[in-house]
Amino acid sequence: MVDDVVHVHVFQRHIELLVETFDREASTMTAATLHHPLRTADVARHAGCSVQQVRNLERDGVLEPPTRTPSGYRMWTEIHALAAATYVVLAGGVGAAEAKKLIRIARAGTENEVLALVDMAHACLHAERRHVELARAAVAAIRAEPLDDVRPNDAMTISELASALGVPTSTLRYWDRQGLLTPTRAVRGRARIYTPADVQDARIVHQLRLAGYRIPPLRALMPALRQRGRTSDITAALRARDAHINSRSRALLRAASGLLALTSSGEPQSGPSEAQK
């Protein structure tokens, strides 16, 4: 987690320096002299990524194709470097696909369009954060319910449990196959029977899935949760989820300056391409 924070801070500084350079030069230089040629390795260094990733970003339309020397070498600009650095930070907040979409819109769209998409991304993170809060409260309430004095008719069938949770029976079967639930089987017909303890497990799994937990972490967590006296594991898991959301939110905030600079540039990233290499 510490490494991730340092990682984002380093790239954020690249963005700040590039934005400062762009703003300073844009006020004193003509569009023709604004774009100093950069090598692919320079762009990669500014962005904190590999040379191959810079080429991939060009291939995917995230970076405008650069001009070429007569011999075919790419001639990148500060704006290309700004776009690449912004993408690297932004991908940590919204994922690679959405980051590419935002950079493309920033290059070709309006400030309103960019700000609307950034607001949507923040809204999604807010919803995830709210789901974690609800999961924390729900899990605490579920774990506090007594399992003493259990009666035979307290058990549920798969259809009854699915109806109670508001999920299809196929979801419960999938959770069973993944080891998240361990219902017993009726002797006749091999039908699943969920005891009160199984129902409690299913309710916890349901809440954590709503909070954004993926199957592999849940599979590792469930054995500890079945030890009814233990709550530290699930508390730690929810805290880790909070930290992950915070990291993504910080990345989105830090990438905003780069997005706005790209949107306000109003300049193409390159002139007509020469011979392609």
Side-chain angles (χ1 to χ4, degrees), residues 80-159:
H80 285 110
L82 173 60
T86 301
Y87 165 79
V88 170
V89 177
L90 190 59
V94 299
E98 189 66 16
K100 290 176 182 179
K101 175 182 176 182
L102 277 167
I103 297 295
R104 293 188 196 103
I105 291 176
R107 282 180 33 230
T110 66
E111 183 176 287
N112 282 348
E113 291 173 319
V114 172
L115 292 176
L117 288 172
V118 170
D119 288 345
M120 288 175 60
H122 278 298
C124 290
L125 287 171
H126 173 73
E128 289 187 37
R129 196 182 304 278
R130 179 59 177 158
H131 287 155
V132 172
E133 293 172 358
L134 292 174
R136 184 178 288 110
V139 168
I142 293 167
R143 293 301 301 268
E145 295 173 352
L147 290 177
D148 300 330
D149 193 24
V150 176
R151 296 166 296 181
N153 61 358
D154 288 333
M156 302 179 74
T157 65
I158 188 171
S159 58

Side-chain angles (χ1 to χ4, degrees), residues 156 172 175-176 180-185 191-195 198:
M156 302 179 74
L172 294 179
W175 292 350
D176 293 351
L180 303 182
L181 303 178
T182 56
T184 58
R185 295 277 189 167
R192 292 171 173 83
I193 300 296
Y194 294 87
T195 67
D198 296 329

